[in-house]
Amino acid sequence: MTTQQLTPYPRQQLAAQPIGYWTGAAHREVVGRIRKELATESLTQPHWWILNHVAASPAHWTRAELTAKLTRYDDQGIDFTEVFADLADRGWTTEDTAGALTLTEAGEAGRIRAKERNLRAHEQTHAGITKDEYVATLDVLRRVIANLGGDSDLPE
């Protein structure tokens, strides 16, 4: 995978750039790429989040519990009721009598297909960036968030 060459700028000019612009631009590109990959399976990010949580803890999560946990990450106003219904209609999830969710074989297969697509997006995102650079970037962003009173802990 090739990486696009960056136009060089003086460090002073880069240091004066607004972080809000650059974090927003990065968010749009990264999330847009992930959403494009998920769309090939007719999935949204909430579908993906639900599939991964249920796969990690079968028969643990209910619809209400996952909705409460995941709504804070949704920036598109997705109706989680519709997402749960879609996964059930596809035959990708089942619920026990207590309402706890489990993935079916079809659901796990769909999750794995989406995971493989997302891995390609992550590889493209990380191309030309060392692990140390990536970690340093996250630490800077976490510090910015903490400085503004936000939650800088890793998501669960």
Side-chain angles (χ1 to χ4, degrees):
M1 181 174 301
T2 61
T3 59
Q4 185 178 4
Q5 293 299 315
L6 298 177
T7 303
Y9 293 100
R11 292 186 69 73
Q12 185 173 345
Q13 188 176 2
L14 288 171
Q17 290 292 301
I19 195 165
Y21 168 80
W22 290 103
T23 56
H27 176 267
R28 286 186 296 278
E29 293 297 327
V30 171
V31 172
R33 177 73 162 82
I34 291 168
R35 287 177 179 165
K36 179 180 174 185
E37 293 298 335
L38 291 171
T40 63
E41 290 282 340
S42 298
L43 299 173
T44 63
Q45 280 183 298
H47 283 94
W48 175 241
W49 301 331
I50 291 166
L51 290 170
N52 282 305
H53 277 78
V54 173
S57 298
H60 171 76
W61 295 101
T62 65
R63 291 178 182 215
E65 291 167 336
L66 275 176
T67 299
K69 179 177 181 66
L70 300 174
T71 299
R72 73 181 228 160
Y73 302 109
D74 176 35
D75 64 351
Q76 295 184 306
I78 298 288
D79 182 346
F80 278 83
T81 302
E82 290 179 10
V83 177
F84 286 112
D86 180 56
L87 290 170
D89 290 347
R90 292 175 189 226
W92 286 22
T93 59
T94 60
E95 292 179 61
D96 66 19
T97 56
L101 297 158
T102 302
L103 294 187
T104 64
E105 285 185 34
E108 179 61 8
R111 187 186 75 81
I112 294 299
R113 285 191 307 273
K115 179 180 179 180
E116 289 169 357
R117 286 186 176 89
N118 279 346
L119 285 175
R120 288 192 295 270
H122 284 282
E123 287 171 3
Q124 183 179 9
T125 300
H126 291 243
I129 301 169
T130 68
K131 186 181 283 190
D132 288 342
E133 290 171 325
Y134 187 78
V135 169
T137 301
L138 289 184
D139 280 342
V140 167
L141 292 173
R142 291 178 59 231
R143 173 53 48 209
V144 167
I145 292 165
N147 287 348
L148 296 173
D151 181 0
S152 62
D153 290 336
L154 296 179
E156 297 176 27

